[in-house]
Amino acid sequence: MFGWLRGILYLFFLNPEIVGEEGIHYKTDFPLKNIKFINISILLSQCHSNILKEYRILQLKSNLYKAVEEQVNGETDFKIKYVTPFISSPFILHDKFQVYWDAQLDCYNCSDMSILRRQTPDAKFVEIGGVEIGAVEVKPFNTSTVDIDNDTVRLGEITKRMLHQRVLKAKSLREYMTFGTMVYGSVVEYYIHMYHPPITSSTATAQSSSRAAAATETAQSQPSYELKLIKKKRTLPTLASTYTYMMLSLEYLVYFKKLMEESLTQDTDIHKPYMHNSPDDCVFKPTVTLLKLE
């Protein structure tokens, strides 16, 4: 039943050569080979433990057995058992950014918290300089569609607030984005939230004074935001019913992490000036704010 564990470890870390029918050696280059052994060991160990517990309950109390998908799961319990080991698996100590679970957001530090209600995601991604670049929201099985939609909207607003803070400290256009991960049940969704700064076009007005030219200039003088879902929904592979998706799910997670790494400030950007000298240089659209009602 658990031979897949040995198979995954073998493929990840030994990176073998596959011999074809004619004796030709095909070198397999797995994108997951750079994940540290300890991270994968923790992930697979937790996954194995979850599956083994379900298997034993099924044997001893088959009449009382319910799969995780059928249970009323607490969000914290579901997050610790099934989500945290998976999301944390690609990160190592020397990465340029890390994931922090149940940590308050620093992007509220400049807000008046005496009247605002702080929103705290289940996890956040923070680069080594302290800038928040992404958030994670988790919902267990049997959560209503309304609550899932509300959390997805909240994830968009949190990443938008992070985006504003990141743009103020950006030294290149590659930093004009933040990232979001939404996990509900066995579904994992990856989002990118991008900021497109306003571009004032003087040529349009110079060439023509028509209404169309004026409307184009007005549109270009306003910032725009784009919250993009990366491809289609992915699978959380730490469940007894989904463990066969382990390799594919990890590949997408590593790809998502690579996108975040490519958006970080590079060594060549150290001596560059900031894109914006002061907050007055930026044109932002307001985020949704929750007030404290007494």
Side-chain angles (χ1 to χ4, degrees):
M1 180 179 178
F2 303 109
W4 60 277
L5 287 171
R6 293 191 297 272
I8 290 178
L9 290 172
Y10 178 71
L11 291 175
F12 282 174
F13 305 112
L14 298 184
N15 197 16
E17 291 183 345
I18 299 178
V19 182
E21 295 180 357
E22 300 179 358
I24 300 175
H25 291 259
Y26 298 94
K27 187 66 175 180
T28 57
D29 186 17
F30 291 94
L32 307 176
K33 64 182 180 181
N34 293 326
I35 301 181
K36 294 299 182 182
F37 179 82
I38 185 64
N39 300 57
I40 293 296
S41 299
I42 293 173
L43 171 62
L44 297 183
S45 175
Q46 183 64 51
C47 183
H48 176 271
S49 176
N50 295 336
I51 297 173
L52 192 60
K53 286 178 182 177
E54 287 197 32
Y55 180 69
R56 287 178 176 175
I57 293 174
L58 177 60
Q59 282 186 318
L60 299 175
K61 301 179 181 179
S62 58
N63 59 325
L64 301 177
Y65 171 75
K66 285 186 178 180
V68 179
E69 294 86 344
E70 301 173 358
Q71 298 175 14
V72 179
N73 301 280
E75 182 173 320
T76 302
D77 184 64
F78 178 77
K79 178 172 60 179
I80 293 173
K81 284 183 179 179
Y82 302 103
V83 181
T84 303
F86 173 67
I87 298 296
S88 302
S89 60
F91 293 88
I92 60 175
L93 180 62
H94 301 294
D95 279 336
K96 293 183 178 180
F97 69 102
Q98 294 291 336
V99 56
Y100 296 91
W101 294 90
D102 299 313
Q104 291 186 344
L105 295 174
D106 295 333
C107 57
Y108 282 96
N109 291 347
C110 298
S111 303
D112 184 2
M113 299 312 299
S114 62
I115 61 173
L116 301 183
R117 191 173 71 183
R118 184 185 295 271
Q119 299 187 73
T120 303
D122 292 290
K124 64 178 182 178
F125 300 107
V126 185
E127 67 168 311
I128 195 172
V131 179
E132 296 163 334
I133 63 173
V136 180
E137 285 289 348
V138 178
K139 283 296 179 186
F141 285 101
N142 301 313
T143 301
S144 66
T145 304
V146 174
D147 289 339
I148 293 174
D149 291 342
N150 288 340
D151 262 29
T152 304
V153 172
R154 191 164 78 105
L155 180 66
E157 290 299 325
I158 288 175
T159 53
K160 183 180 178 182
R161 185 178 287 268
M162 289 179 173
L163 185 58
H164 291 168
Q165 295 295 324
R166 194 177 189 195
V167 168
L168 291 175
K169 300 178 181 180
K171 291 190 174 183
S172 63
L173 292 176
R174 80 171 69 88
E175 300 175 66
Y176 280 20
M177 63 179 65
T178 51
F179 304 85
T181 303
M182 183 70 196
V183 182
Y184 54 96
S186 61
V187 177
V188 183
E189 294 179 343
Y190 300 107
Y191 292 90
I192 297 180
H193 207 155
M194 293 178 285
Y195 173 75
H196 302 288
I199 302 174
T200 303
S201 175
S202 58
T203 57
T205 306
Q207 292 175 357
S208 174
S209 58
S210 64
R211 291 184 178 180
T216 301
E217 183 174 358
T218 302
Q220 291 176 332
S221 64
Q222 296 296 322
S224 62
Y225 299 82
E226 183 179 2
L227 181 61
K228 181 184 296 185
L229 173 64
I230 302 179
K231 295 184 179 179
K232 58 182 180 179
K233 300 174 182 178
R234 301 304 171 193
T235 304
L236 182 67
T238 50
L239 305 167
S241 58
T242 60
Y243 68 85
T244 53
Y245 293 90
M246 181 66 72
M247 290 185 66
L248 185 61
S249 298
L250 278 173
E251 285 185 10
Y252 284 115
L253 179 59
V254 170
Y255 171 73
F256 186 66
K257 182 192 173 199
K258 185 177 180 181
L259 291 179
M260 288 190 277
E261 288 177 342
E262 291 176 348
S263 74
L264 299 178
T265 304
Q266 298 182 358
D267 294 340
T268 55
D269 299 328
I270 294 178
H271 300 291
K272 291 182 180 179
Y274 289 104
M275 300 287 290
H276 304 280
N277 296 323
S278 69
D280 297 333
D281 295 339
C282 300
V283 180
F284 294 141
K285 292 183 179 179
T287 58
V288 173
T289 302
L290 299 179
L291 300 178
K292 293 180 180 178
L293 300 178
E294 297 181 356

